[in-house]
Amino acid sequence: MLKSVYTFLFSAVLSLSFSGLAAQVVTLDPPFPTQEDDVTIIFDATQGNGELTGVIPVYMHSGVIVEGETGWQNVQGNWGTNDPNVIMSTVPGQPNIFTKTINITEFYGVEPGQNVLQLAFVFRNVNGQLVGREADGSDIFVDISQGGFDGAIMTPSSPQVFLDAPSDLNFSVQTNENATINLFIDDSGVATELNTTSASTTLDFTGFDEGIYWLWTEAVSDADGSTVTDSVYVVLQGAPQIQSAPPGTRDGINYVNSSTVVLQLHAPFKDYVYAIGDFNDWQFNPDYFMKKTPSGNRWWVQLDNLTPGQEYRFQYSIDQEDMRIADLYSHKLLDPWNDPWIDEERYPGLIPYPEGKTTNIVSVLQTDRPQYEWEVEEFERPPKEQLVIYELLVRDFTEARTYQSLIDTLGYLERLGVNAIELLPVNQFEGNESWGYNPSFYFAVDKYYGPEEDLKKFIDECHKRGMAVILDVVFNHSFGQSPQVRMYFDPSAGDFGQPTAENPWFNEIPRHPFNVGYDYNHDSPHTQAFMKRNMHFWIEEFKVDGYRFDLSKGFTQNNTLGNVAAWNQYDQSRINHWLRIRDEIHEVDQDLYLILEHFANNDEETVLANEGFLMWGDMNSAANQNTMGYQENNNMNWASYQQRGWNEPNLVSYHESHDEERLQFRNNEFGNTSNPNHNVTQQSVGLSRIEAMMALHLPLVGPKMIWQFGELGYDYSINHCPDGTISPDCRTANKPVRWDYYDDEDRQRLYRVTAAINKLKTENEAFSSTNYTWDANGLGKRLIIQHESMDVVIIANFNVTPINIVPGFTQPGTWYDYFAGESITETNLNNAFELQPGEYRVYTTVELETPDLTVSTEEHQDPYGITVSAFPNPFADQTQISYKLEESQEVQIRVTDLQGRQVAVIDQGLRHPGNHMVRWNGDYDAGGKVPTGFYIVQLLTRDNVGTVKVMVQR
């Protein structure tokens, strides 16, 4: 009997343990209430994450966990308000103990038939900025008795106890009715109490060997003989063994061979660390008590007899607090809060989170892991002075939000003529749907976009098309899920807690304005080594071509917090950091693009640009003043590196980025309406003026950047909310994905003009010339380029009325109009040309192929005006079928193979006039994926059939 109970407890303890943790933060009086009972809730603010220590008043935000339902139910408390219903009482003489007495059924409004299993809690200050939770940041749950006989271990109050040396330990049990209570340590009974509701003993571990000891109880009711059991365990440990790690061991996961791994953790000032995971059934086994290196800064353990190719989930547990962290250097992580939203199609075969065995983020290791086979081993990068960078956010670029769907768009981007793609951060960030500037782990690809193999494939496919890939990376700061933050953190400091003075990587207090999250200390050798290793990793493992460093002006220990002007001033220490980082990157790649979002004073940017860095140049406001048709603040001279006094054209000037308002949104809302024949708020007029900006700005020597869908005149505000309103709170919220914009003739023309300008810039060396005139003040603007291969003159009128402008031809003779395909002979270089509002012209001394600006939004059009198109096409995961109706009609859209056999019906029913869009993911109606090949999408109305041929590429 004892053996069977012991075996049960051994297997069940982990599922019991995490509700047991709540006893430290919240206790109940009486300890075993049913849902009909009155109960006093007791919250100890010093326990758990301790964020409410010293805070008065404290508010309880609470709900119930109900059988058969998921998540909190019947939630009480209005967050961030002075809600008297949930304010807690203080205990005299105990400033951090708070209580509230309630009747469970009445307080929560439990309805008949609802069976309450647990009470759920978090606690807050009045505005909700400070929140009390479990130590690992999770919500607090306390079990409710289901009636009848009940009991539990009261002390120890944690599900596991660590003893550094033999000592006494109090072991006590309580029940809700008289019982025979037996106390055991492993298979040995240590105490029995008869006809009682409590039992206790003091255990003396003197003479016990190091190891795990199970404390468990069996209580038998005097009334009916029913039995309850509970357990905790004691880890009796000595001092950690001091021993150097095997030669060549680095922090993180070290693969020795197909069955052996060495784990090493950088964790100075810690007393002990355990490795827990699938390899030891998540138990605190002395065999996985990690050794400490002689320096005292690192911990390591060797894992043997692993199954080759098998994935193992694991964490590190640190010190008595049982802080559980994932490995900072993991390539794959499991997230209990966000992984449930990652389905099989997004990430096939994702190993599940070890529910019931642990909490917080978990690492994955795998020996003999399959390696990606690169098709392009060596990529020749485009010259930096001719770069046209396309900046995009995976989340808002395709509906599927995957790397695979990005691959499907590469034909579109290739035709656009861009030669580099810059991805907003793709390393692991907090949450799923984010801009990515809240990083938590730096060596793992965020799973919401797909497996890391898909990102490698995307980069490979870009290289096959001559396009470089640049990663946006964030080393100014990190956020609270980062192990580097969690290991050394004081949750009670400041408004949101702060790193402690012991933190090897982070400042206690940020050193500059505009900081978000927690501020890296770039003077720290630990931060420097970590960043260097990460930079090398993405180059060597993913073959990336460059980095765009977010908030690069923050790489300083010069304290300018609260003083933006001082932060902008020349800072030699900051320059020194960037020169060091450049040199460290050059150890593995001399030609990588290094882009800084710096925005410091020009004297500092000049030094960095002359040292080879590419500097972000924000021209959004001035460019938009021009497209809207206003003289004030429209000077774009600062887009020229020469105007800034730099030696090299290392300026990435742009008129849109992820951080700036969209040109067409402002054109629509605030454009100049003084000329009724050229009203900028009309879509076609606003888009034509963006054409002029593309034609003028992109050809200027030096790298340029386009924000996603800027080539189609994307006109949703940066502050657009999912409900259609506009608010600064929605700045980083999801934005509509509008591939159907390509089916609008005016928008498609903008795309074609942009593509033609990009081709001009990237295929002609004249646009690398530093012999140019950039006359960009006023509403009439000019770019004049001289080069031995050809000269170029570009003129544009950003007024809303006609103007006369002298082009500034560099020589008499024949000049070719790039877009018109015509030539002129000019003998008087002072001749003025009349340009209509928004008009632009591009002249060259060499005849070039005339761009095809023919707009075609139709694959088929019938007499009723039905237009059918598909994008992307070809596709692998999903295509969007778009059509337009001029009148209401019954519609059916079906897919057939080339033999006419029906594959799928993807839409049917009455549809009203206007634009429509449906998606097809390449599935048969009967289930399963269609094979690679051509298919016919048919739109059938009462009188006509529209068709478009699509190609599926698996």
Side-chain angles (χ1 to χ4, degrees):
M1 173 62 179
L2 287 178
K3 182 64 175 178
S4 64
V5 172
Y6 174 80
T7 302
F8 165 76
L9 292 173
F10 186 86
S11 63
V13 68
L14 286 173
S15 64
L16 294 170
S17 64
F18 297 106
S19 61
L21 277 172
Q24 293 182 304
V25 188
V26 171
T27 53
L28 303 181
D29 184 20
F32 309 109
T34 68
Q35 66 187 59
E36 290 84 17
D37 291 338
D38 293 340
V39 63
T40 298
I41 297 159
I42 306 165
F43 168 57
D44 185 345
T46 66
Q47 299 301 309
N49 66 0
E51 195 164 300
L52 293 175
T53 302
V55 174
I56 296 176
V58 164
Y59 296 80
M60 178 180 80
H61 191 73
S62 184
V64 292
I65 305 301
V66 176
E67 184 177 15
E69 301 288 345
T70 58
W72 290 31
Q73 306 293 319
N74 303 29
V75 177
Q76 302 299 308
N78 295 302
W79 193 266
T81 67
N82 183 6
D83 187 342
N85 186 48
V86 293
I87 194 168
M88 302 192 76
S89 300
T90 56
V91 176
Q94 300 184 69
N96 289 304
I97 303 297
F98 300 87
T99 66
K100 187 170 184 63
T101 300
I102 64 171
N103 177 276
I104 294 176
T105 294
E106 293 176 0
F107 179 77
Y108 294 103
V110 178
E111 298 177 358
Q114 283 188 311
N115 183 28
V116 177
L117 303 177
Q118 294 176 310
L119 304 185
F121 302 95
V122 295
F123 300 86
R124 62 173 173 85
N125 67 344
V126 64
N127 62 15
Q129 290 186 340
L130 301 177
V131 183
R133 300 179 184 272
E134 293 284 12
D136 62 4
S138 60
D139 298 343
I140 302 163
F141 298 96
V142 181
D143 292 338
I144 295 301
S145 175
Q146 299 305 296
F149 183 48
D150 211 342
I153 295 173
M154 296 290 108
T155 57
S157 59
S158 295
Q160 68 279 321
V161 177
F162 297 91
L163 297 181
D164 295 331
S167 59
D168 292 344
L169 181 69
N170 185 47
F171 181 18
S172 67
V173 174
Q174 188 169 342
T175 60
N176 64 349
E177 59 184 61
N178 285 347
T180 298
I181 303 175
N182 300 295
L183 308 182
F184 299 88
I185 180 168
D186 288 344
D187 287 337
S188 300
V190 294
T192 298
E193 296 286 344
L194 304 177
N195 191 29
T196 185
T197 58
S198 64
S200 65
T201 188
T202 299
L203 300 174
D204 181 1
F205 281 91
T206 301
F208 280 54
D209 294 332
E210 295 176 7
I212 299 176
Y213 295 90
W214 295 92
L215 309 185
W216 60 283
T217 182
E218 180 185 63
V220 182
S221 169
D222 289 350
D224 60 10
S226 59
T227 301
V228 295
T229 59
D230 194 10
S231 69
V232 299
Y233 60 88
V234 174
V235 180
L236 191 62
Q237 60 185 23
Q241 182 178 346
I242 308 299
Q243 183 179 335
S244 296
T249 300
R250 298 204 298 175
D251 295 340
I253 306 167
N254 298 264
Y255 294 100
V256 179
N257 55 48
S258 61
S259 60
T260 306
V261 164
V262 173
L263 302 178
Q264 180 168 290
L265 175 68
H266 182 197
F269 310 114
K270 300 302 181 183
D271 294 326
Y272 55 84
V273 182
Y274 282 86
I276 56 174
D278 292 335
F279 41 76
N280 59 15
D281 199 25
W282 297 89
Q283 299 172 36
F284 290 83
N285 189 316
D287 292 342
Y288 299 89
F289 187 27
M290 297 180 74
K291 300 178 178 66
K292 182 189 288 189
T293 61
S295 70
N297 290 331
R298 286 174 166 82
W299 303 81
W300 68 275
V301 67
Q302 181 167 306
L303 310 181
D304 296 311
N305 302 314
L306 300 176
T307 301
Q310 178 178 321
E311 289 188 308
Y312 290 85
R313 303 162 295 184
F314 76 97
Q315 290 173 314
Y316 303 111
S317 173
I318 302 175
D319 287 358
Q320 181 75 30
E321 294 82 8
D322 186 21
M323 176 189 291
R324 300 187 177 204
I325 64 167
D327 192 293
L328 178 65
Y329 298 90
S330 299
H331 296 187
K332 187 173 183 178
L333 300 152
L334 303 178
D335 181 335
W337 306 292
N338 295 292
D339 285 1
W341 307 103
I342 299 176
D343 57 28
E344 179 72 14
E345 188 171 350
R346 182 175 296 278
Y347 196 114
L350 178 62
I351 185 173
Y353 185 85
E355 293 287 349
K357 295 181 180 294
T358 191
T359 61
N360 222 291
I361 294 174
V362 167
S363 290
V364 177
L365 65 83
Q366 180 184 19
T367 64
D368 290 352
R369 185 169 165 272
Q371 299 299 304
Y372 179 80
E373 297 292 335
W374 292 92
E375 294 187 54
V376 180
E377 290 288 350
E378 300 292 335
F379 174 60
E380 184 177 348
R381 294 169 183 146
K384 64 181 180 180
E385 64 272 12
Q386 288 183 278
L387 277 179
V388 181
I389 302 168
Y390 194 86
E391 186 189 26
L392 68 84
L393 169 61
V394 179
R395 185 199 72 187
D396 290 347
F397 193 59
T398 69
E399 291 284 357
R401 301 173 181 174
T402 63
Y403 301 118
Q404 181 57 56
S405 65
L406 283 191
I407 294 172
D408 292 340
T409 71
L410 288 180
Y412 170 91
L413 294 174
E414 185 178 24
R415 292 190 296 274
L416 182 60
V418 299
N419 54 15
I421 297 175
E422 179 183 308
L423 299 176
L424 266 63
V426 295
N427 61 283
Q428 181 89 14
F429 47 78
E430 298 194 2
N432 282 333
E433 297 184 356
S434 166
W435 274 11
Y437 295 103
N438 52 343
S440 51
F441 291 82
Y442 287 78
F443 291 79
V445 174
D446 197 279
K447 302 189 303 298
Y448 189 61
Y449 298 150
E452 72 169 54
E453 290 78 9
D454 287 0
L455 177 58
K456 290 177 179 177
K457 182 181 178 184
F458 168 75
I459 295 171
D460 214 7
E461 290 294 327
C462 286
H463 287 171
K464 286 162 64 175
R465 296 170 183 263
M467 291 186 282
V469 177
I470 299 167
L471 295 187
D472 199 337
V473 291
V474 185
F475 285 101
N476 172 79
H477 56 267
S478 195
F479 277 72
Q481 289 181 2
S482 165
Q484 292 173 315
V485 174
R486 291 184 61 225
M487 281 193 290
Y488 306 90
F489 191 73
D490 180 359
S492 64
D495 289 339
F496 301 101
Q498 65 189 38
T500 64
E502 292 180 335
N503 195 304
W505 303 280
F506 287 90
N507 293 312
E508 291 180 81
I509 305 294
R511 297 302 179 97
H512 64 84
F514 286 24
N515 183 76
V516 294
Y518 303 102
D519 184 33
Y520 271 109
N521 174 1
H522 288 280
D523 281 356
S524 165
H526 306 294
T527 299
Q528 293 174 9
F530 164 71
M531 185 174 174
K532 175 181 177 179
R533 180 171 168 184
N534 190 249
M535 294 296 95
H536 288 192
F537 167 75
W538 290 96
I539 298 168
E540 295 170 339
E541 184 73 16
F542 286 83
K543 298 186 181 294
V544 300
D545 302 296
Y547 296 116
R548 180 265 186 189
F549 293 94
D550 181 67
L551 207 55
S552 60
K553 191 167 56 179
F555 285 45
T556 178
Q557 287 298 102
N558 182 23
N559 191 354
T560 59
L561 191 64
N563 189 336
V564 175
W567 185 38
N568 291 339
Q569 295 297 313
Y570 187 94
D571 184 340
Q572 186 62 49
S573 68
R574 185 163 54 203
I575 292 173
N576 293 342
H577 278 310
W578 281 111
L579 296 181
R580 170 185 53 79
I581 292 167
R582 178 201 61 187
D583 293 344
E584 290 171 348
I585 290 172
H586 283 176
E587 292 175 14
V588 293
D589 195 322
Q590 291 279 339
D591 301 316
L592 210 76
Y593 308 123
L594 302 178
I595 305 173
L596 303 184
E597 184 203 24
H598 213 62
F599 300 141
N601 287 355
N602 190 56
D603 52 357
E604 181 171 330
E605 293 210 357
T606 299
V607 173
L608 292 168
N610 291 345
E611 288 285 350
F613 289 96
L614 306 181
M615 313 299 292
W616 252 29
D618 176 14
M619 300 306 301
N620 174 260
S621 179
N624 221 164
Q625 285 295 102
N626 285 285
T627 64
M628 289 189 294
Y630 299 118
Q631 172 76 47
E632 185 180 8
N633 299 323
N634 79 346
N635 189 340
M636 292 190 63
N637 284 343
W638 214 235
S640 167
Y641 81 97
Q642 292 180 355
Q643 296 281 347
R644 300 185 183 216
W646 300 359
N647 294 338
E648 299 291 334
N650 289 341
L651 180 62
V652 185
S653 59
Y654 56 85
H655 49 252
E656 282 184 330
S657 78
H658 70 272
D659 259 341
E660 306 299 336
E661 188 58 274
R662 315 307 175 212
L663 298 188
Q664 186 61 12
F665 171 77
R666 283 208 191 104
N667 288 351
N668 289 342
E669 296 294 319
F670 311 113
N672 193 328
T673 60
S674 62
N675 181 355
N677 296 319
H678 189 82
N679 180 348
V680 180
T681 64
Q682 294 179 354
Q683 175 180 294
S684 60
V685 175
L687 293 172
S688 71
R689 297 178 68 87
I690 296 176
E691 284 182 25
M693 182 54 62
M694 295 286 194
L696 177 83
H697 187 198
L698 292 179
L700 180 64
V701 66
K704 297 291 173 286
M705 188 177 74
I706 300 169
W707 169 242
Q708 66 183 30
F709 298 129
E711 74 283 359
L712 294 173
Y714 192 81
D715 52 7
Y716 288 88
S717 170
I718 192 173
N719 296 321
H720 177 84
C721 300
D723 65 2
T725 60
I726 295 176
S727 167
D729 294 338
C730 296
R731 182 179 183 84
T732 62
N734 292 18
K735 298 298 185 287
V737 178
R738 296 301 304 270
W739 284 100
D740 60 312
Y741 274 3
Y742 189 81
D743 294 331
D744 181 286
E745 293 184 0
D746 296 324
R747 296 183 189 277
Q748 188 184 130
R749 177 183 162 85
L750 173 57
Y751 170 92
R752 290 177 178 269
V753 168
T754 304
I757 291 294
N758 289 339
K759 179 178 180 181
L760 191 68
K761 180 183 179 75
T762 60
E763 295 184 3
N764 293 279
E765 58 181 344
F767 294 92
S768 298
S769 174
T770 58
N771 183 10
Y772 67 88
T773 299
W774 176 243
D775 182 9
N777 197 7
L779 290 168
K781 290 178 165 55
R782 304 185 302 176
L783 172 60
I784 304 167
I785 301 172
Q786 294 179 275
H787 189 264
E788 60 183 11
S789 64
M790 70 176 178
D791 290 355
V792 181
V793 171
I794 302 173
I795 54 178
N797 174 18
F798 290 100
N799 209 325
V800 294
T801 59
I803 65 170
N804 291 319
I805 185 170
V806 176
F809 289 129
T810 56
Q811 56 187 278
T814 302
W815 287 80
Y816 298 92
D817 187 322
Y818 177 56
F819 284 106
E822 300 172 348
S823 63
I824 62 171
T825 300
E826 187 57 68
T827 57
N828 181 0
L829 301 186
N830 293 317
N831 271 347
F833 287 34
E834 183 182 60
L835 296 187
Q836 296 303 307
E839 186 180 3
Y840 58 91
R841 299 183 193 176
V842 178
Y843 291 104
T844 64
T845 55
V846 173
E847 186 174 11
L848 304 173
E849 180 183 359
T850 304
D852 181 8
L853 301 185
T854 304
V855 174
S856 175
T857 62
E858 305 173 2
E859 291 289 344
H860 171 84
Q861 184 164 348
D862 70 15
Y864 286 92
I866 298 178
T867 299
V868 187
S869 62
F871 189 88
N873 189 11
F875 72 97
D877 285 345
Q878 187 180 83
T879 188
Q880 298 180 92
I881 311 300
S882 300
Y883 63 97
K884 182 178 181 180
L885 296 178
E886 298 297 331
E887 63 181 22
S888 297
Q889 298 197 56
E890 287 286 338
V891 166
Q892 183 187 67
I893 301 179
R894 68 184 187 186
V895 183
T896 67
D897 60 21
L898 295 183
Q899 286 72 46
R901 294 171 295 200
Q902 183 167 300
V903 170
V905 174
I906 56 178
D907 188 36
Q908 56 186 345
L910 179 65
R911 301 293 177 257
H912 298 293
N915 294 309
H916 300 268
M917 187 269 289
V918 295
R919 299 178 182 88
W920 183 47
N921 58 6
D923 285 353
Y924 288 106
D925 272 349
K929 302 288 186 182
V930 302
T932 294
F934 287 98
Y935 297 85
I936 303 299
V937 177
Q938 297 179 325
L939 186 149
L940 297 93
T941 70
R942 59 181 176 268
D943 298 314
N944 294 278
V945 177
T947 64
V948 58
K949 182 187 289 186
V950 298
M951 183 179 182
V952 178
Q953 287 184 332
R954 297 299 188 195

